[in-house]
Amino acid sequence: MIVVMEPEAGDAAIAAVEAKIRAEGLRVHVSRGTERTLIGAIGDERKLSPAMFETLPGVERALHILKPYKLVAREWHATSTTVRVRGNVIGGNGVQVIAGPCSVETEGQMRAAAAAVAAGGARLMRGGAFKPRTSPYAFQGAGLEGLRMLKEAASRYGLPIVSELMDMRMLDTFLHEGVDVIQIGTRNMQNFDLLKEVGRVDVPVILKRGMSATIGEWLMAAEYIAAGGNHRIVLCERGIRTFETAYRNVLDVTAIPMLKRETHLPVIVDPSHAGGKAWLVAALAGAAVAAGADGLLVEVHPNPPEAWCDADQALTPAEFAMLMHKLAAVAEAVGRTLTGVPRTTSQREDLPVA
Amino acid sequence: MIVVMEPEAGDAAIAAVEAKIRAEGLRVHVSRGTERTLIGAIGDERKLSPAMFETLPGVERALHILKPYKLVAREWHATSTTVRVRGNVIGGNGVQVIAGPCSVETEGQMRAAAAAVAAGGARLMRGGAFKPRTSPYAFQGAGLEGLRMLKEAASRYGLPIVSELMDMRMLDTFLHEGVDVIQIGTRNMQNFDLLKEVGRVDVPVILKRGMSATIGEWLMAAEYIAAGGNHRIVLCERGIRTFETAYRNVLDVTAIPMLKRETHLPVIVDPSHAGGKAWLVAALAGAAVAAGADGLLVEVHPNPPEAWCDADQALTPAEFAMLMHKLAAVAEAVGRTLTGVPRTTSQREDLPVA
Amino acid sequence: MIVVMEPEAGDAAIAAVEAKIRAEGLRVHVSRGTERTLIGAIGDERKLSPAMFETLPGVERALHILKPYKLVAREWHATSTTVRVRGNVIGGNGVQVIAGPCSVETEGQMRAAAAAVAAGGARLMRGGAFKPRTSPYAFQGAGLEGLRMLKEAASRYGLPIVSELMDMRMLDTFLHEGVDVIQIGTRNMQNFDLLKEVGRVDVPVILKRGMSATIGEWLMAAEYIAAGGNHRIVLCERGIRTFETAYRNVLDVTAIPMLKRETHLPVIVDPSHAGGKAWLVAALAGAAVAAGADGLLVEVHPNPPEAWCDADQALTPAEFAMLMHKLAAVAEAVGRTLTGVPRTTSQREDLPVA
Amino acid sequence: MIVVMEPEAGDAAIAAVEAKIRAEGLRVHVSRGTERTLIGAIGDERKLSPAMFETLPGVERALHILKPYKLVAREWHATSTTVRVRGNVIGGNGVQVIAGPCSVETEGQMRAAAAAVAAGGARLMRGGAFKPRTSPYAFQGAGLEGLRMLKEAASRYGLPIVSELMDMRMLDTFLHEGVDVIQIGTRNMQNFDLLKEVGRVDVPVILKRGMSATIGEWLMAAEYIAAGGNHRIVLCERGIRTFETAYRNVLDVTAIPMLKRETHLPVIVDPSHAGGKAWLVAALAGAAVAAGADGLLVEVHPNPPEAWCDADQALTPAEFAMLMHKLAAVAEAVGRTLTGVPRTTSQREDLPVA
């Protein structure tokens, strides 16, 4: 940490800062410049916070030099992590697509959805049984029964399942019903008690980025899970909130290479929620793969106009199959392989333009 | 709801939209313009969502005409709500200040804090026993013991207590320990399961605005609580996230008059978290009162440089007392009264209310 | 400037950074910590940019310690600047209101507007003759004829005039027609050639904040004007762009105390454009004064529903007069005086200044 | 336009709205719902603004149904526009890369840069001779001499040149010196007088998106140019301002498919300014092409660490050549062709991972 003193700060003020740093067990290094005196704290500065110093007389500001995350940082763990889900790998050279409907509705819908997911080539299936809805009057999800419908439908095709956990009291139920990957949603990215709970179990977690979470806050949320002992974490970019109203959110593709540099965890992207429209999915999904994403979370519904939630962002089974072909080509172009879809180098030319 | 058809939409597309509206039990009104045909849904459009129509062929977009909130809307409940907390009122002509430290640390700290809060004239005391910290390695709060220290210290001065609930499993403990007002923090504004739980009890709730929550989303979060039966809700503006990095957040004073128009619930402001610096509190608190806030949530600590969290935003007891005097004058200037601080002049009665 | 080296940076990399700093004429100070080596550049770091170092091998990042502005910085000019406009002062203990219509329309409209401005007690008049409109098909302003109508109407009441300059080729015309204060609008805050031009004349300039300009960028835009020799600069906060759509912009009241600390220039606020609605103006104007603004820019129109632009944000003459009374009370509450409106009580003198 | 009346609005209020619509020459359509009465204006609503109605008694709000842009709208011009620059085409099936240094520095630098641009396969060259710098003390560009150096160096390789125009008084000089494409920078996107000037000449214009401009505002800025008669417009997405501080701006890839739907104009992307770091360029450029961009604006410098501006975002000639190969593969994957680089389907496997 660097403490910047005000121009008129005297020796007593400087000594007080030095004493405070030493009291925390760090060493001190003073540099007197022409306009400011800087005081460096040498040692593990993660114990210190700028607020500890900015209240002292003569201090202009204090700033961290090191990143606050450790377990999830690439600096401390250079090798990229891969997360295994019943034989399927997220991370590494493959690009893994997780697909399925926004919400679990009926048995028939789930069976048709699972068929579409498998036919498209995806190897994991998603479906929401507990839904975080902006309105208390909207459909809140099929609940436990929904989890069972999802599991049953996915099992027919050997697909592991991904579902969102909102209420920590339901964690045991999720484990008991065989949820293979727990999703922590955007609105709960900083629900720290929930993060602590999923940090204690041995089930992979997809951690979605908060609506306006910085990269740093997001990695600290992952650090909460890792600090509990669960290192099977996948980060999911899903669009951030900005001033733009022409689409639901702005997919932040820059986050992908930045995360690849800052953390060893796999990074996937949800193009469906980001844009909020089915017709945007192909362009956004392609962009995500070209930017280096390790996977995608895509909404597919057997009959989108009848979907009980987010109807306008779900792909039809046919659109999903076409998307997978496009993504296979983009993945190949950047030296990777889309899991589940064979390379089709020669057939590619006749595909529609993005 | 208005459904806007594409220019080339034919009669079949229009008929399909009409059928869908009627199937939901609403009536239809068609208006054929020169460039677009519009289809209006007449009746309670809250059942409808734009997504239900935007997936149909020939539909350009669909938009709500009515606001989605009902119980908290002023349209349906014209009289302003006042929330009573053991004889103290939030809402109405008074301006109520809730003060205390960011986190409960020790018995001595709490006693000194309570003395400062009472001496300044505030009638309610805040203190965090369970803290939502960005880092898993930071102090997470004194927990149950902290709640007891807060209660004990506040009781000496007859101050009801306000504390943040993060984990729904702790709700019974909060009630048992006599927490008078439950605070739902920024990061949990859309933790819908938590909102449902506090909606079931008869204890006032302060609902802080999410870091980047719109007014509409915030009111829908309040609607979750009200829908459960608990109408004792106070909204708290605490700064929003923007591009500006010169201060922690941007206090959104415009939200105050807008909420006053949209909802009957009282609105308070947290100037301490908004700016993140003690020296900004007086300006922001004054602005909030001038803009029509019904109260404030202010951080006061007996010895800010030694505070265990957010040290740089807490006022000293002396600064707090001075702030209360300033706020009394501003409140008077806009035709209101700061609870706990005597009016300094009698000539103000003839001024128009803000 | 501090250059943070990567953990694995070797002596050669460190030496290269040192050489580059010395080549720019600054001295070097190296601090070897446990996790990082830091290299400080001692001297006037304003010549350096982070990019100069971040391209060198082994450099993690480089950061400025000093603020980039100098002429407008309070650090270098501790006394608050007051800007005089034909005997009227902006800055100091008074609060100055500048009022008038969004755009100059007709002679009759301007005469009625000038009468309303003067009757309310304001001492300066605003009016747009050249309008920056989002649409090329919207009314673009009355042009030179508009400037003359504004001047003529205002002169009847001895009011100096404020008008927006968009095109640098019109600067001579503005001077010739006797525009007393040149306004640089939001969309031109970083039109650097325009800033250079108004930096060369001896006429006060109101510099509005860009829609999403940081405090730092805004002060650097003011520095452009000051660097040309014109130090008669007034900063005007007018709302920033955020994710919120319930109102046009978010008035950033935190900017007021922050600017008061960072710069010696006066700061005024435009509550009309910020909120975009006449009914929001009183609350926002009050908040601005309570937060320490030195003045306001308020839209007043003799007949708002017939205004040619921004009809929904203009106050009627009666509303304006009422606003002035309210603001006089708020100004008094924070120890200041609203220019043009008599104090209503004498007991306020003993109150602390905001 | 739809005017939504307040619940309690009476017949007189409704009649006044109807009269105002008719006075503007449009027809009226009234729809009385259960909770609100809606009044539709039938005809060319572009003459109307919500503000015209929102000031009338009984009106809750008014909203546009049609988009305000016309000349640049795909609705009125279904065929995609291609912009020709001395035989090179922007738009259509090809993907066009424009490359060169941030600023023109010296003859030697420009010759080396032109060689690198041509060697990489790009067909147009960029270079800034007039630079919009945040600080008045930073290098402001080589000016007229810079334009000449750019032209001379580019001519050796037959590359048309692209350069930014900031000051409308320099337009004739740009034409005289043979600037082939005029760039309007981010900070001038709403410098309407400048837009009007470039709308009067017959030279292609690259219009960069403002830092926080919405899609609608950006298209209206393009409409300004088109309204002047110049339809040779290329839109350039360059990152938007958000709350995220981990990178300079957030590249908004969603804008690409959205613009493709809303306008017939070509859309290119500047990955260099968006991320602000050379190491981010490959990922962002790939994402842009995968999302459907018609071209890129990429910074290349013979020796980035010595660049006079934005040193950390320029690619070396070798990095640029590698980027072009990667982009050729991505373009091919989405059914397009990167202009200037031969398809290399079989060699692709050995390329580095994104």
Side-chain angles (χ1 to χ4, degrees):
Chain A
M1 174 164 283
I2 297 283
V3 181
V4 182
M5 302 303 292
E6 290 172 351
E8 62 275 12
D11 288 345
I14 293 171
V17 171
E18 293 188 39
K20 187 141 193 165
I21 293 171
R22 288 204 182 90
E24 298 290 333
L26 286 87
R27 283 180 300 120
V28 170
H29 185 105
V30 179
S31 161
R32 290 175 193 268
T34 50
E35 300 190 14
R36 292 287 188 288
T37 292
L38 306 188
I39 306 173
I42 299 179
D44 184 4
E45 65 167 51
R46 288 179 188 80
K47 309 175 179 181
L48 310 179
S49 78
M52 291 169 63
F53 298 95
E54 292 180 348
T55 48
L56 295 180
V59 172
E60 189 171 282
R61 63 194 171 110
L63 39 117
H64 275 295
I65 294 301
L66 301 178
K67 302 291 170 56
Y69 31 90
K70 199 135 186 175
L71 297 176
V72 304
R74 193 178 283 281
E75 180 173 351
W76 302 100
H77 186 294
T79 318
S80 293
T81 288
T82 53
V83 173
R84 286 186 173 273
V85 187
R86 286 180 34 213
N88 300 281
V89 177
I90 305 177
N93 192 61
V95 173
Q96 195 68 260
V97 176
I98 304 166
C102 174
S103 71
V104 178
E105 298 161 8
T106 64
E107 260 183 39
Q109 170 241 17
M110 289 313 288
R111 289 189 184 176
V117 168
R123 296 283 172 81
L124 293 102
M125 185 171 182
R126 57 148 290 156
F130 299 88
K131 301 297 304 172
R133 304 303 298 274
T134 306
S135 165
Y137 310 124
F139 173 56
Q140 307 275 315
L144 175 56
E145 202 44 51
L147 277 189
R148 288 177 181 157
M149 286 191 265
L150 169 61
K151 188 72 185 178
E152 194 272 338
S155 298
R156 291 169 175 253
Y157 300 90
L159 305 168
I161 64 171
V162 179
S163 203
E164 179 170 349
L165 176 69
M166 294 167 62
D167 181 341
M168 55 193 87
R169 296 169 302 189
M170 292 304 291
L171 178 55
D172 286 345
T173 304
F174 269 57
L175 299 182
H176 184 260
E177 297 299 329
V179 172
D180 300 286
V181 181
I182 294 172
Q183 180 178 312
I184 300 294
T186 292
R187 290 165 188 77
N188 281 313
M189 191 201 85
Q190 289 194 320
N191 180 339
F192 298 119
D193 289 295
L194 184 61
L195 299 179
K196 286 175 186 169
E197 290 299 325
V198 300
R200 287 179 191 131
V201 298
D202 184 29
V203 174
V205 176
I206 290 178
L207 179 65
K208 286 195 149 188
R209 184 183 190 175
M211 206 83 89
S212 65
T214 62
I215 297 289
E217 290 168 339
W218 190 10
L219 288 176
M220 286 309 282
E223 187 87 6
Y224 258 94
I225 300 172
N230 186 352
H231 292 219
R232 302 170 72 189
I233 307 165
V234 176
L235 300 167
C236 181
E237 158 65 27
R238 45 78 69 209
I240 57 172
R241 180 157 280 186
T242 74
F243 61 85
E244 180 58 73
T245 55
Y247 12 90
R248 192 184 326 165
N249 290 119
V250 167
L251 180 67
D252 180 7
V253 287
T254 316
I256 304 168
M258 181 54 79
L259 286 170
K260 287 284 167 193
R261 181 170 145 138
E262 288 294 309
T263 181
H264 51 86
L265 298 174
V267 179
I268 66 172
V269 167
D270 177 345
S272 306
H273 280 86
K277 295 288 173 193
W279 66 270
L280 285 169
V281 170
L284 299 183
V289 172
D294 296 311
L296 295 166
L297 203 55
V298 177
E299 294 207 353
V300 180
H301 191 282
N303 185 11
E306 296 303 320
W308 298 3
C309 91
D310 286 345
D312 46 352
Q313 76 195 28
L315 300 183
T316 62
E319 288 166 344
F320 178 60
M322 214 151 90
L323 173 70
M324 291 293 276
H325 276 284
K326 178 192 163 171
L327 294 179
V330 176
E332 201 181 329
V334 295
R336 300 180 74 168
T337 309
L338 189 77
T339 305
V341 178
R343 290 190 164 219
T344 53
T345 305
S346 54
Q347 294 95 313
R348 210 164 48 237
E349 267 83 20
D350 53 347
L351 282 177
V353 173
Chain B
M1 173 163 285
I2 297 283
V3 181
V4 182
M5 303 302 292
E6 290 172 352
E8 63 275 12
D11 289 345
I14 291 170
V17 170
E18 293 188 39
K20 185 139 193 166
I21 293 172
R22 289 205 183 88
E24 299 289 333
L26 287 86
R27 282 179 301 119
V28 171
H29 184 106
V30 178
S31 161
R32 291 176 192 266
T34 50
E35 300 191 15
R36 294 287 189 286
T37 293
L38 307 188
I39 306 174
I42 299 178
D44 183 6
E45 64 166 52
R46 288 179 188 81
K47 308 176 181 183
L48 309 180
S49 78
M52 291 169 63
F53 297 95
E54 292 180 349
T55 47
L56 296 180
V59 173
E60 188 171 283
R61 64 196 171 108
L63 38 116
H64 274 296
I65 293 302
L66 302 178
K67 302 291 170 58
Y69 32 90
K70 199 136 188 176
L71 297 175
V72 303
R74 194 177 283 281
E75 180 173 352
W76 301 99
H77 186 294
T79 318
S80 293
T81 288
T82 54
V83 174
R84 286 186 174 273
V85 187
R86 288 181 32 213
N88 301 280
V89 177
I90 304 176
N93 192 60
V95 174
Q96 196 66 261
V97 176
I98 304 167
C102 173
S103 70
V104 179
E105 297 160 9
T106 65
E107 262 184 36
Q109 170 242 17
M110 289 313 289
R111 289 188 183 177
V117 168
R123 296 284 171 81
L124 292 103
M125 184 171 183
R126 58 148 289 154
F130 299 88
K131 302 297 304 172
R133 303 304 297 275
T134 306
S135 165
Y137 310 124
F139 173 56
Q140 306 275 316
L144 175 57
E145 202 44 51
L147 277 189
R148 289 175 182 160
M149 286 190 264
L150 168 60
K151 188 73 185 176
E152 194 274 336
S155 299
R156 291 168 175 254
Y157 300 90
L159 305 167
I161 63 170
V162 178
S163 203
E164 178 170 350
L165 176 70
M166 293 167 61
D167 180 341
M168 55 192 87
R169 295 168 304 188
M170 293 303 293
L171 178 54
D172 286 344
T173 303
F174 268 57
L175 299 181
H176 184 258
E177 298 298 329
V179 172
D180 300 286
V181 181
I182 293 172
Q183 179 179 312
I184 299 294
T186 293
R187 290 165 187 78
N188 281 313
M189 191 201 85
Q190 289 193 320
N191 181 340
F192 298 119
D193 289 295
L194 184 61
L195 298 179
K196 286 176 187 170
E197 290 299 325
V198 299
R200 287 180 192 131
V201 298
D202 184 29
V203 174
V205 176
I206 291 178
L207 179 65
K208 286 196 147 188
R209 183 182 190 175
M211 205 84 89
S212 65
T214 62
I215 297 289
E217 290 168 339
W218 190 8
L219 289 175
M220 285 310 283
E223 187 88 7
Y224 258 95
I225 300 172
N230 186 353
H231 292 218
R232 302 170 72 190
I233 306 165
V234 176
L235 300 168
C236 180
E237 159 64 28
R238 44 78 69 208
I240 57 172
R241 181 157 278 185
T242 74
F243 61 86
E244 180 58 74
T245 55
Y247 12 91
R248 190 179 333 160
N249 288 119
V250 167
L251 181 67
D252 180 7
V253 288
T254 316
I256 304 168
M258 181 54 78
L259 286 169
K260 288 284 167 193
R261 180 169 144 139
E262 288 295 309
T263 181
H264 52 86
L265 299 175
V267 179
I268 67 173
V269 166
D270 177 345
S272 305
H273 279 87
K277 295 289 172 192
W279 67 269
L280 284 170
V281 170
L284 300 184
V289 172
D294 297 310
L296 295 166
L297 203 55
V298 177
E299 294 207 354
V300 180
H301 191 283
N303 185 10
E306 297 303 320
W308 298 3
C309 90
D310 286 344
D312 46 352
Q313 75 194 30
L315 300 183
T316 63
E319 288 166 344
F320 178 59
M322 214 152 89
L323 173 70
M324 291 294 275
H325 275 283
K326 177 193 163 172
L327 295 180
V330 175
E332 204 179 328
V334 296
R336 301 180 73 168
T337 308
L338 189 76
T339 305
V341 178
R343 289 190 164 222
T344 50
T345 61
S346 52
Q347 290 91 322
R348 290 273 80 85
E349 265 85 22
D350 52 343
L351 283 176
V353 173
Chain C
M1 173 164 284
I2 297 283
V3 181
V4 183
M5 303 302 292
E6 290 172 351
E8 62 275 13
D11 288 346
I14 292 171
V17 170
E18 292 188 39
K20 186 140 193 167
I21 293 171
R22 290 205 182 89
E24 298 290 333
L26 287 86
R27 283 179 301 118
V28 170
H29 184 105
V30 178
S31 161
R32 291 176 192 267
T34 49
E35 299 191 15
R36 293 287 189 286
T37 293
L38 306 188
I39 306 174
I42 299 179
D44 184 5
E45 65 166 50
R46 288 178 188 82
K47 309 176 181 181
L48 309 179
S49 78
M52 290 169 62
F53 298 95
E54 291 180 348
T55 47
L56 295 180
V59 172
E60 188 170 284
R61 63 197 171 110
L63 39 117
H64 275 296
I65 294 300
L66 302 178
K67 302 291 170 58
Y69 33 90
K70 199 135 187 176
L71 298 175
V72 304
R74 193 178 283 281
E75 180 173 351
W76 302 98
H77 187 293
T79 318
S80 293
T81 288
T82 53
V83 173
R84 285 186 173 272
V85 187
R86 287 179 34 213
N88 300 281
V89 177
I90 305 176
N93 192 61
V95 174
Q96 195 67 261
V97 176
I98 304 166
C102 173
S103 71
V104 179
E105 297 161 9
T106 65
E107 261 183 38
Q109 169 241 19
M110 289 312 289
R111 289 189 184 176
V117 168
R123 296 285 170 79
L124 292 103
M125 184 170 183
R126 58 148 288 154
F130 299 88
K131 303 295 306 171
R133 303 303 298 274
T134 306
S135 165
Y137 311 123
F139 173 55
Q140 306 276 314
L144 174 56
E145 203 43 53
L147 277 189
R148 288 176 182 159
M149 286 192 264
L150 168 61
K151 188 73 186 177
E152 195 272 338
S155 300
R156 291 167 174 254
Y157 300 90
L159 305 167
I161 63 170
V162 179
S163 203
E164 178 171 350
L165 176 69
M166 294 166 61
D167 180 341
M168 53 193 89
R169 295 169 304 188
M170 293 303 293
L171 177 55
D172 286 345
T173 304
F174 269 56
L175 300 181
H176 185 260
E177 297 298 330
V179 172
D180 300 287
V181 181
I182 294 172
Q183 179 179 311
I184 300 294
T186 293
R187 290 164 186 77
N188 281 313
M189 191 201 85
Q190 288 193 321
N191 180 340
F192 299 118
D193 288 295
L194 184 61
L195 299 179
K196 286 176 187 169
E197 290 299 325
V198 299
R200 288 182 191 128
V201 299
D202 184 29
V203 173
V205 176
I206 290 178
L207 179 65
K208 286 196 148 187
R209 183 182 191 176
M211 205 83 90
S212 64
T214 62
I215 297 289
E217 290 168 339
W218 190 8
L219 289 175
M220 285 309 283
E223 187 88 6
Y224 259 94
I225 300 171
N230 186 352
H231 292 219
R232 302 171 71 190
I233 307 166
V234 176
L235 300 168
C236 180
E237 158 65 27
R238 44 76 70 208
I240 56 172
R241 180 157 279 185
T242 74
F243 61 85
E244 181 58 73
T245 54
Y247 13 91
R248 191 182 330 164
N249 288 120
V250 167
L251 180 67
D252 180 8
V253 288
T254 316
I256 304 168
M258 181 54 78
L259 285 170
K260 288 285 168 191
R261 181 170 144 138
E262 288 294 308
T263 181
H264 50 86
L265 299 174
V267 179
I268 66 172
V269 166
D270 178 345
S272 306
H273 280 87
K277 295 289 173 193
W279 66 269
L280 285 170
V281 169
L284 300 183
V289 172
D294 297 310
L296 296 166
L297 203 56
V298 177
E299 295 208 352
V300 180
H301 192 282
N303 185 10
E306 297 303 320
W308 299 2
C309 90
D310 286 344
D312 45 353
Q313 76 194 31
L315 299 183
T316 62
E319 288 165 345
F320 178 61
M322 214 152 90
L323 173 70
M324 290 294 276
H325 275 284
K326 178 193 164 171
L327 294 180
V330 175
E332 203 180 327
V334 295
R336 301 180 73 168
T337 308
L338 190 76
T339 305
V341 178
R343 288 189 163 223
T344 48
T345 61
S346 52
Q347 290 91 324
R348 289 273 80 84
E349 265 86 21
D350 54 342
L351 284 177
V353 174
Chain D
M1 173 165 284
I2 296 283
V3 181
V4 182
M5 303 302 291
E6 290 173 351
E8 62 274 14
D11 288 345
I14 291 170
V17 170
E18 293 188 38
K20 186 140 193 164
I21 293 171
R22 289 204 182 91
E24 298 290 333
L26 287 86
R27 284 180 299 120
V28 171
H29 185 105
V30 179
S31 160
R32 291 175 192 267
T34 49
E35 300 190 14
R36 293 287 188 286
T37 293
L38 307 188
I39 307 174
I42 299 178
D44 183 5
E45 65 168 50
R46 288 180 188 80
K47 307 177 180 182
L48 310 179
S49 78
M52 292 169 63
F53 297 95
E54 292 180 349
T55 49
L56 296 180
V59 172
E60 189 171 281
R61 63 196 171 109
L63 40 117
H64 274 295
I65 293 301
L66 302 179
K67 301 291 170 56
Y69 31 91
K70 200 136 186 175
L71 296 175
V72 303
R74 194 178 283 281
E75 180 173 352
W76 302 99
H77 187 294
T79 318
S80 293
T81 288
T82 53
V83 174
R84 287 187 171 271
V85 187
R86 287 182 32 215
N88 301 280
V89 177
I90 304 176
N93 192 61
V95 174
Q96 196 66 262
V97 176
I98 304 167
C102 174
S103 71
V104 178
E105 297 161 10
T106 64
E107 260 184 38
Q109 170 242 16
M110 288 312 288
R111 289 189 184 177
V117 168
R123 297 284 171 80
L124 293 102
M125 184 171 182
R126 58 148 289 153
F130 299 88
K131 301 296 305 172
R133 303 304 297 276
T134 306
S135 166
Y137 311 124
F139 172 56
Q140 307 275 315
L144 174 57
E145 203 43 53
L147 277 189
R148 288 176 182 159
M149 286 191 264
L150 169 60
K151 188 73 186 177
E152 195 273 338
S155 298
R156 291 169 174 252
Y157 301 90
L159 305 167
I161 64 170
V162 179
S163 204
E164 178 171 351
L165 176 70
M166 293 167 61
D167 181 340
M168 54 193 86
R169 296 168 303 189
M170 292 304 292
L171 178 54
D172 286 345
T173 305
F174 269 57
L175 300 181
H176 184 259
E177 297 298 330
V179 173
D180 300 286
V181 181
I182 294 172
Q183 179 178 312
I184 300 295
T186 293
R187 290 165 188 77
N188 282 313
M189 192 202 85
Q190 289 193 321
N191 181 339
F192 299 119
D193 288 295
L194 185 61
L195 299 179
K196 286 176 186 170
E197 290 299 325
V198 298
R200 287 179 192 130
V201 299
D202 184 29
V203 174
V205 176
I206 290 178
L207 179 65
K208 285 195 147 186
R209 184 183 190 175
M211 205 82 89
S212 65
T214 61
I215 297 289
E217 289 168 339
W218 190 9
L219 289 175
M220 286 310 282
E223 187 88 6
Y224 259 94
I225 300 172
N230 186 352
H231 292 220
R232 301 170 71 189
I233 307 166
V234 176
L235 300 168
C236 180
E237 158 65 27
R238 45 76 70 209
I240 57 172
R241 181 157 279 185
T242 74
F243 61 84
E244 180 58 73
T245 56
Y247 13 90
R248 193 185 325 165
N249 289 120
V250 167
L251 180 68
D252 180 8
V253 287
T254 316
I256 304 168
M258 181 53 79
L259 286 169
K260 288 284 167 193
R261 181 170 145 137
E262 288 294 308
T263 181
H264 51 87
L265 299 174
V267 180
I268 66 173
V269 167
D270 178 345
S272 305
H273 280 86
K277 296 288 173 194
W279 66 269
L280 284 170
V281 169
L284 300 183
V289 172
D294 296 311
L296 295 165
L297 204 55
V298 177
E299 294 207 354
V300 180
H301 191 282
N303 185 11
E306 296 304 319
W308 298 3
C309 91
D310 286 345
D312 46 351
Q313 76 194 29
L315 300 183
T316 62
E319 288 166 345
F320 178 61
M322 214 151 89
L323 173 69
M324 291 294 276
H325 276 283
K326 177 191 164 173
L327 295 180
V330 176
E332 201 181 329
V334 296
R336 300 180 73 168
T337 308
L338 189 76
T339 305
V341 179
R343 290 190 165 219
T344 54
T345 304
S346 54
Q347 293 96 312
R348 210 165 48 237
E349 267 83 22
D350 53 347
L351 282 176
V353 173

